[in-house]
Amino acid sequence: MKGIKNLSLTILICFFISGFVFAADSEITILVNNQEVESESRPVIIEGTTFVPLRPVCEAMDCEVFWIAASQTINIRNDTTIVGMQIGNNKISRQKRTSEGTTTVLDCDMPPRIIEGATYIPLRAMAEAFGATVVWDANTRTVIIVYDTTIKYSGSLTLSRFAGNGGRKRYDSTVDKMEFLSPESMDIADDGTIYISDSGAIRKISGGSSETVEFEPGYITSDIVRCYKDEVYFTTNAFEDEGGEKFYGLVKLVDGAAEGLYITEAVYSKISDFDIDSKGNIYAIVYNAGTAKTYLAKFNGTDMDFIATIDDGFSCMAVDSSDNIYLGNAVRGSIYYYNTSSNEMKLFAGVDDNTRFVDGTGPMFFEPRSLFYKDSSLYVMDYNLLRRAEVNSGGVALYSETLAGKISTELKPQTAEGKASEAEIAPSYLMEIAAYGGKVYITDPVNDVVWAVE
């Protein structure tokens, strides 16, 4: 996916591979803070080291690049650091831009080189010179660079397993012994009952035990689950009628039956998320295939009204206590606020296409994947960090902090209990969050459990 500078530079880059391979054989994608780097010269891998074209990557990291032809020297600068490299030289100099100007010399296994007339630098060496960690996603052949972060953790919170024992099947018991197939969407009713969409089934957790909710018709399976007071609503996965046409819809659970509120052909639209305001009005993010546009919609009986055209990157939403709507753009790294009374939309936090993990005043977001509003706080599952933004009644982000998680260097981290600031939460586009009673819950379809942060 494509996706306030501070005095620190953190880079997360992924890679493990060996051999000599030109990217022309299998293209390598480079993402800098979730935005793809475009370059006429492609990355190459030489003896296990990935080399990238000098300027495109460095400039995407907001660094200035200077080339001194006489000595074939490369000078890369950001606000805090100056890195010097030279063609054919295994030594790298790093100087902090302080009054002391201390210089450190670093070793480099594979020096910069000229390839087909273009200057290439070893990615790991350059990254580590800026205090980076290097990894590689071999499945997608993608290099991911995350930098310019300011993460401020909230107190001494802990992350612990709330439900599920890590086994992979649908099994009801006490929360410590129950098992999930894939806990995904989640919401909490007013009475504290937790409802989870578990790979198409509705699971209910109350009083420390679980129950799989049975309902008719049996061919309906759940996708996104939401609560209004103590009522349960969910969107369905696609299902076929007798003629083989595929449908999906929004239903309400009533006395063991999934009552259809809105049913339509699956080929024409898709609901990415929905939420319910204090009056029972249902809002949704809907993609319409007929117009090839994404809309913020409001359900009106068995139909829906498109109330605003929105960017295709919006994929998650939450309704606040004043019945206004927050919309998260996972592609562009921004969160917007929609006033339902004035029908006006404004930027709430972040900057479009300037994705960052930045806490404090003027918060910025990297990839908001799930939103949940509770008690003047907007909780955000931001890639694999659980973050909280305090908001005022006018939909303004006062500040943000990180509750749990850290930027992971693992491709498939196994979330571990303990200090929340040290937990590497396994990221997934299917995970969701919900808050109730001083705890924030996180579904984890990677490890088949539900976590709690408190």
Side-chain angles (χ1 to χ4, degrees), residues 24 87 164 256:
I87 301 298

mmCIF file of all heavy atoms in Angstrom, residues 24 87 164 256:
data_model
loop_
_atom_site.group_PDB
_atom_site.id
_atom_site.type_symbol
_atom_site.label_atom_id
_atom_site.label_comp_id
_atom_site.label_asym_id
_atom_site.label_seq_id
_atom_site.Cartn_x
_atom_site.Cartn_y
_atom_site.Cartn_z
ATOM 1 N N ALA A 24 14.884 -5.955 -11.991
ATOM 2 C CA ALA A 24 14.138 -6.178 -13.230
ATOM 3 C C ALA A 24 13.545 -7.576 -13.253
ATOM 4 O O ALA A 24 12.522 -7.823 -13.870
ATOM 5 C CB ALA A 24 15.041 -5.964 -14.433
ATOM 6 N N ILE A 87 32.240 6.514 -2.944
ATOM 7 C CA ILE A 87 32.246 5.372 -3.855
ATOM 8 C C ILE A 87 33.464 4.496 -3.578
ATOM 9 O O ILE A 87 34.596 4.982 -3.534
ATOM 10 C CB ILE A 87 32.250 5.838 -5.328
ATOM 11 C CG1 ILE A 87 31.022 6.691 -5.634
ATOM 12 C CG2 ILE A 87 32.329 4.638 -6.271
ATOM 13 C CD1 ILE A 87 29.710 5.987 -5.471
ATOM 14 N N GLY A 164 -9.007 -16.156 24.860
ATOM 15 C CA GLY A 164 -8.363 -17.051 23.901
ATOM 16 C C GLY A 164 -7.068 -17.598 24.444
ATOM 17 O O GLY A 164 -6.340 -16.893 25.156
ATOM 18 N N GLY A 256 -32.803 -14.630 17.768
ATOM 19 C CA GLY A 256 -32.236 -15.748 17.041
ATOM 20 C C GLY A 256 -32.348 -15.663 15.537
ATOM 21 O O GLY A 256 -32.088 -16.649 14.836
#
